């Protein structure tokens, strides 16, 4: 029987890809991570990573173990929610800024567990796809699509999410078949209002598709998803949102796959505070444990 605690080291190395990054996250020396991974591989009798230029990439055995390790992680979090005694814990309010869909369609579904473990902390969620200024204290922390380049802030890459093309079956049945990328020139698209695009990181449709024929625009990602579900056209949507909508199906998922970073940004003065640390730990753990949802279940 292997040491269950080694799964923590395995998960972090699988997600970070390098010993130093995993060690920093775990608060240990990189040699400790290396030793625990070696012990886990010895106990299981298989190698879990391909090692190239100090980078660690999951091999087929590692990917199989990853599925079980993530279930173990999710179960341990659920266990804490159900049976761990609730202590008074840190007190305070954290105003968190996130992109619209990430906050309203993903994050809020997981806030109950945070509240149960941290009854003294109030979250104020500003789910808008625009950047609030942490230096001016418009928000205390933020999930952003790019790493800020200035200001008194602390930032770390929290994870990634994927966008794919989605459409309603009713739309696909009434329009020419789509079997390859050139077929998309005959179709209608749903996208942002260009001159109101809140973030340059959202300029993705033209990069993914050559000269898309956009027939409907809205500043809301949720609105784009609803329009696509109604059969209006094809939309480039986050998988964590679109995969939950039964009335949408992926279009050319192997050919069109856009990855975007998620960054956790905190005002420098607040990062050491106990209540802020709880929020940061909640966000990074959530994004890591929901990696499959963020990257697309299909």
């Amino acid at each position: 029987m292997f040491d269950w605690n080694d799964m923590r080291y395995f998960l972090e190395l699988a997600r970070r890809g390098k010993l130093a990054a995993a060690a920093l996250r775990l608060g240990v020396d990189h040699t400790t991570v290396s030793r625990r991974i070696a012990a886990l591989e010895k106990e299981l009798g298989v190698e879990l990573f391909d090692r190239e230029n100090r980078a660690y990439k999951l091999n087929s055995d590692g990917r199989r173990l990853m599925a079980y390790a993530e279930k173990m992680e999710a179960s341990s979090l659920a266990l804490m929610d159900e049976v761990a005694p609730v202590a008074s814990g840190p007190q305070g309010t954290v105003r968190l800024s996130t992109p619209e869909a990430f906050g309203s369609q993903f994050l809020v579904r997981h806030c109950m567990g945070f509240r149960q473990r941290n009854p003294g902390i109030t979250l104020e969620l500003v789910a808008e796809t625009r950047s609030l200024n942490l230096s001016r204290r418009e928000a205390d922390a933020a999930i952003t699509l790019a790493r800020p380049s200035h200001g008194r802030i602390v930032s770390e890459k929290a994870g990634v999410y994927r966008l794919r093309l989605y459409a309603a079956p009713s739309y696909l049945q009434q329009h020419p078949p789509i079997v390859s990328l050139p077929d998309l020139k005959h179709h209608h698209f749903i996208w942002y209002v260009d001159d109101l695009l809140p973030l340059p990181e959202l300029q993705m449709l033209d990069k993914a598709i050559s000269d898309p024929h956009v027939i409907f625009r809205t500043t809301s990602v949720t609105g784009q998803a609803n329009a696509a579900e109604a059969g209006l056209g094809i939309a480039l949507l986050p998988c964590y949102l679109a995969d939950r909508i039964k009335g949408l199906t992926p279009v050319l998922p192997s050919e069109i796959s856009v990855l975007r970073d998620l960054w956790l940004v905190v005002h420098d003065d607040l990062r050491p505070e106990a209540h802020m640390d709880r929020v940061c730990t909640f966000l990074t753990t959530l994004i890591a444990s929901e990696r499959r949802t963020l990257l697309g279940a299909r």
Side-chain angles (χ1 to χ4, degrees):
M1 175 64 69
F2 61 84
D3 186 339
W4 293 100
N5 197 42
D6 288 343
M7 283 299 184
R8 294 175 55 239
Y9 293 83
F10 168 75
L11 282 169
E12 285 301 331
L13 185 56
R15 289 163 177 164
R16 308 293 170 176
K18 291 191 175 181
L19 290 173
L24 181 63
R25 177 69 184 155
L26 291 163
V28 299
D29 187 85
H30 74 278
T31 57
T32 301
V33 180
S34 178
R35 185 173 64 253
R36 299 300 287 266
I37 294 300
L40 178 61
E41 291 179 326
K42 181 179 179 181
E43 289 296 328
L44 295 176
V46 295
E47 291 190 355
L48 302 170
F49 295 91
D50 291 328
R51 295 157 171 84
E52 297 180 4
N53 298 325
R54 297 186 179 181
Y56 283 67
K57 184 177 181 181
L58 288 174
N59 59 24
S60 57
D61 288 320
R63 288 191 293 271
R64 282 196 292 270
L65 180 60
M66 187 72 173
Y68 290 100
E70 288 180 327
K71 290 178 182 178
M72 291 169 60
E73 181 182 53
S75 296
S76 67
L77 292 173
L79 174 66
M80 291 298 294
D81 290 344
E82 292 295 329
V83 304
V86 176
S88 57
Q91 307 284 318
T93 298
V94 174
R95 178 171 294 177
L96 175 67
S97 171
T98 73
E100 174 229 340
F102 181 87
S104 65
Q105 302 296 327
F106 173 75
L107 180 59
V108 294
R109 300 200 305 268
H110 302 275
C111 286
M112 184 59 185
F114 176 81
R115 174 63 185 176
Q116 290 174 333
R117 293 191 297 272
N118 302 278
I121 301 176
T122 300
L123 275 178
E124 295 182 350
L125 176 63
V126 182
E128 299 179 359
T129 307
R130 66 183 182 94
S131 295
L132 297 187
N133 193 311
L134 269 64
S135 296
R136 294 201 299 265
R137 304 301 287 271
E138 293 177 343
D140 304 315
I143 295 292
T144 66
L145 304 184
R147 186 176 193 173
S149 57
H150 60 277
R152 294 183 57 243
I153 56 173
V154 179
S155 62
E156 66 171 295
K157 184 177 175 180
V160 296
Y161 73 99
R162 190 189 313 275
L163 301 96
R164 288 187 173 125
L165 294 178
Y166 290 86
S170 60
Y171 171 87
L172 297 174
Q173 292 165 5
Q174 297 171 18
H175 292 80
I178 304 173
V179 295
S180 62
L181 289 173
D183 296 330
L184 294 175
K185 66 181 180 181
H186 304 296
H187 287 268
H188 300 159
F189 287 88
I190 299 161
W191 193 234
Y192 286 97
V193 181
D194 279 346
D195 59 349
L196 296 178
L197 200 65
L199 298 171
E201 293 79 22
L202 294 175
Q203 293 175 338
M204 295 176 287
L205 187 63
D206 288 334
K207 296 177 181 178
I209 303 163
S210 177
D211 193 25
H213 179 45
V214 179
I215 64 160
F216 180 77
R217 299 179 185 272
T218 173
T219 57
S220 166
V221 181
T222 304
Q224 294 169 19
N226 290 337
E229 185 184 15
L232 191 57
I234 303 172
L236 183 65
L237 298 170
C239 295
Y240 63 76
L241 166 62
D243 284 345
R244 289 175 55 87
I245 301 176
K246 294 181 178 179
L248 289 176
T249 186
V251 175
L252 299 179
S254 298
E255 289 83 352
I256 302 294
S257 174
V258 179
L259 292 177
R260 295 297 321 178
D261 292 338
L262 292 169
W263 288 85
L264 172 60
V265 185
V266 184
H267 193 282
D268 186 55
D269 290 343
L270 294 175
R271 185 61 183 88
E273 298 291 334
H275 67 294
M276 179 60 75
D277 186 65
R278 290 287 182 94
V279 172
C280 291
T281 299
F282 162 63
L283 291 170
T284 55
T285 301
L286 173 64
I287 291 171
S289 64
E290 291 293 317
R291 183 175 64 93
R292 287 193 169 189
T293 300
L294 293 167
L295 291 178
R298 301 178 184 180

